[in-house]
Amino acid sequence: MGKTVADLTLDDEHMTVGVADTLQEAAKRLLTISGGIVVVLDDDQRVKGVLGQRQLIKAMSEGVDGGAAQCHEYMEMDFMQVELKDSLKSVLADIQTRSPQAVVAVDENQEFVGYFSPGDYQEAVQLVDNLKGLNL
């Protein structure tokens, strides 16, 4: 049986923030994790974008007031959404084809459940390779 997105640990390497939260709040949350991103959610827990160090530094370099500017104004919207039931093999192929800035996982209601980090990508590649070796 093939492995799915649900087989990965997706609850690390990210924090969440609301679309109307300030960049200052996003920066505070990003500082609490090593690497990773801040996932921007709406009130229904649906992903609207992501913020990483690059987006925050770019905003600050433009002289933005981090205490007033809202996350939705500076978030990156080039993200790919995958579902927990999606096969790792198909997700990896889609990531290679599309090369999104971030990959986020959602449940059957399209609500955010986790961030598919670069580490998760490597784990997925290894799992798929191991299954190939077993002819599964």
Side-chain angles (χ1 to χ4, degrees), residues 15-21 29 38-50 71-72 75 79 81 106 109-112:
M15 292 291 292
T16 62
V17 70
V19 290
D21 285 336
R29 293 184 189 190
V38 177
V39 180
V40 183
L41 304 175
D42 66 12
D43 292 338
D44 295 321
Q45 300 302 302
R46 290 190 171 82
V47 180
K48 293 301 176 186
V50 296
C71 291
H72 70 89
M75 65 188 181
F79 64 91
Q81 201 164 274
V106 297
N109 298 316
Q110 303 303 299
E111 293 179 7
F112 175 72

Side-chain angles (χ1 to χ4, degrees), residues 2 11 16 19 30 43 74 81 91 100 105 128:
D11 60 356
T16 62
V19 290
L30 189 58
D43 292 338
Y74 294 92
Q81 201 164 274
V91 167
V128 169

